[in-house]
Amino acid sequence: MLRLSSLFIISSLLLAKLFAIEVVVATQDIHYNEFVTDKMVRKTEVKSVKRNCTPASFEAFKTKKLQATHYMKKGFIICQNDIKEYSNESVLFNFGSIQIEKHGEIIFENDEYLRIRKSDGEIEKIYKDGRIK
């Protein structure tokens, strides 16, 4: 009887290991738009993940420059939609002899001014004569 129960426990542990899903977990709090490196995450195995979660691969953190799309607490399972690949979005202004480079994207432009959305979400209005409002 003891032999049968120990065989059952060992087989259930092996089956749990066989059907485990390999995921990447945050080892510290990760802020919005912060670069996520392989030192901030670790590989682990879990029994299940959310239905709409496609787990991120650990190798992606080693090879690509990735940013967080939202705040993640320590122990959070990182999915593909929780990270994005870094793209340098900058706008170059040429005011004759002065050139200014700002990080962000142009969201509106007319003859008088431009509106830029910065990486932190703030919107800045820059006039064509160089004034910033």
Side-chain angles (χ1 to χ4, degrees), residues 83-119:
I83 53 176
K84 65 179 179 180
E85 197 165 346
Y86 173 70
S87 60
N88 187 8
E89 298 173 346
S90 62
V91 180
L92 182 67
F93 300 103
N94 191 357
F95 299 115
S97 62
I98 300 172
Q99 288 186 346
I100 300 172
E101 184 175 0
K102 293 262 187 181
H103 293 286
E105 60 179 323
I106 296 176
I107 56 173
F108 180 76
E109 180 178 6
N110 65 13
D111 294 338
E112 195 176 331
Y113 62 88
L114 299 160
R115 280 198 184 136
I116 298 172
R117 178 175 288 128
K118 295 182 185 179
S119 61

Side-chain angles (χ1 to χ4, degrees), residues 6-19:
S6 63
L7 182 64
F8 177 72
I9 291 172
I10 291 172
S11 65
S12 64
L13 289 174
L14 288 175
L15 282 176
K17 185 74 171 171
L18 181 66
F19 292 113

Side-chain angles (χ1 to χ4, degrees), residues 3 11 21-22 33-34 48 60 63 71 77 86 88 93 95 98-99 124 128-129:
R3 186 178 278 177
S11 65
I21 300 169
E22 189 173 287
N33 271 348
E34 184 177 359
S48 65
T63 58
Y71 177 78
I77 296 174
Y86 173 70
N88 187 8
F93 300 103
F95 299 115
I98 300 172
Q99 288 186 346
E124 188 174 42
K128 299 263 177 142
D129 60 1

